[in-house]
Amino acid sequence: MKYVLFDFDGTIADSKIVMLSAWNKLAEKHHFKKIKIEELSTLKKLSIKERSKLVNFPMYKLPIIIPHLYKLYQQSIKEVNLYVGMREVFEELEKKGYKIVIISSNSRENILEFLRYNKIENIESVLCSTLIYRKDKLMNKFLSEKKLSNSEVIYIGDEHRDLVACKKTGIKMIWVGWGYDSFEVVQDEEPDYIVNTPSEILEVIF
């Protein structure tokens, strides 16, 4: 294995509160249902489509709303927290010679600003797509450009759509239990590895 690929929101960055705030601002403007902080634990157990139905949001509007969501997100980027233990994970991976790449549906500008603010310098590159169901395209493009086989990388993420993308590309995935989706949402996709603390990521890879 040469590269370790990371999702961003829910895996590296604890952005739930910032994302919630951004959503509620858009919800007020566009007449979607606002989300209360105490509802987050319930939302974790639902698929994206089920969440959309619950908040009265038509899925076809995603490409229109997502850029506005991440623009609001950027205004509060300093309130997005690095998960405890992730800095050490990056440092250990770098020491062992692994290259680290972020593949996300957040904006590249947001992620780079987060990395600068948190003084994280272990990341080789950041690849992004605003289409939330196109991570497999980014993964395949990355493999092709780097002339890598899917066995030379591993992906670390927290959502069902991450697992689906990994299945499509044949990349093994470590699912983290502290992110946006609960295990009930992802269990049918049978993650290759399951971890509940950042340090367990290193146990899987090493």
Side-chain angles (χ1 to χ4, degrees), residues 22-40:
W23 168 262
N24 283 340
K25 287 176 183 176
L26 287 174
E28 186 171 358
K29 182 178 179 180
H30 298 282
H31 308 292
F32 306 135
K33 182 180 178 295
K34 290 185 178 182
I35 300 169
K36 298 176 182 177
I37 192 167
E38 57 266 26
E39 293 178 305
L40 289 178

Side-chain angles (χ1 to χ4, degrees), residues 139-150:
M139 291 175 182
N140 280 327
K141 183 180 179 183
F142 172 77
L143 293 176
S144 177
E145 288 179 351
K146 295 292 183 180
K147 296 181 171 58
L148 295 166
S149 68
N150 51 21

